[in-house]
Amino acid sequence: MRRWVRLLPLLAAAACSGLDEGEGGVVALEVQFPEVPTLEVGEQVQLSARALNVDGETVDAEILWRASNAALSVDETGLVTGVAQG
C-alpha cells in the first residue's frame, strides 16, 4: 500500500507569509513548487521562494520554511520529506 501525504497544507502555509508592506521592502513572497499534489512517505520535493518588492524585483530577505502538517518535514533549504501517513 502506498502512503501519501498531501502537500497542499504546507504550500498554503508557505504562501501565507504574514509580511507587512514596507518591511524591508518586501511586499510579496513567490513560492515555486513541483506539480506533485501528494508525497509518498520517504519521497522528497524541493520548494523555492523569493521575496519581492513593490516593483516585482527580488529582495534579499531570509525565508524560513515550516511544515504545518506533522506528516511532513521541511529543512532550511525548502526540501520537503514525507515522514508519515497523513
Side-chain angles (χ1 to χ4, degrees):
M1 171 188 276
R2 297 185 87 140
R3 299 177 189 257
W4 298 88
V5 176
R6 296 212 175 271
L7 290 177
L8 187 57
L10 173 72
L11 301 178
C16 298
S17 64
L19 296 172
D20 296 326
E21 185 173 347
E23 183 180 311
V26 176
V27 297
L29 185 64
E30 179 183 273
V31 180
Q32 296 178 348
F33 54 93
E35 293 185 29
V36 179
T38 57
L39 188 65
E40 187 175 344
V41 173
E43 286 186 329
Q44 296 180 317
V45 294
Q46 182 67 53
L47 307 178
S48 64
R50 65 185 184 126
L52 303 172
N53 66 14
V54 70
D55 297 320
E57 298 168 342
T58 301
V59 175
D60 186 28
E62 181 178 11
I63 297 174
L64 303 174
W65 296 95
R66 176 178 39 183
S68 62
N69 183 331
L72 300 170
S73 71
V74 61
D75 71 10
E76 65 278 353
T77 68
L79 182 64
V80 179
T81 303
V83 294
Q85 182 178 355

